[in-house]
Amino acid sequence: MALARCKKCGLPEGRTAVYVKMVKPVGYPDTALVCGKAGCINPALICLNEEEWKEYQSGVRIFSPPTAACKFRAK
Ligand SMILES: [Zn+2]
């Protein structure tokens, strides 16, 4: 499941997933996607695990965070 983090906070250490790549959301850096780390308000990149990174390379652009609250659309 994808997460949103800014460049400064970097790739998160997931409890169950290993995140391997950060990709830009549509509109980045003027994007509605904000870093999910507590106290950070920087524009976020989409952090993908290995499986999601393979999907991205195959043309998939919509990724889901661990809850059904929203989805992220990558460039
Ligand atoms: Zn951040």
Side-chain angles (χ1 to χ4, degrees):
M1 304 304 256
L3 292 177
R5 292 291 185 274
C6 71
K7 261 186 197 166
K8 191 178 161 202
C9 293
L11 284 170
E13 288 184 26
R15 284 189 209 121
T16 56
V18 176
Y19 291 93
V20 296
K21 287 282 178 185
M22 299 178 97
V23 298
K24 292 176 181 174
V26 168
Y28 186 86
D30 188 18
T31 177
L33 199 60
V34 176
C35 180
K37 194 158 184 181
C40 184
I41 57 166
N42 293 330
L45 296 158
I46 304 169
C47 307
L48 305 178
N49 63 30
E50 187 71 45
E51 185 184 335
E52 290 164 335
W53 172 236
K54 282 182 191 154
E55 289 172 1
Y56 181 89
Q57 290 172 298
S58 304
V60 173
R61 287 298 180 268
I62 297 178
F63 298 94
S64 298
T67 73
C70 65
K71 296 185 184 78
F72 310 145
R73 187 185 303 272
K75 262 188 194 169

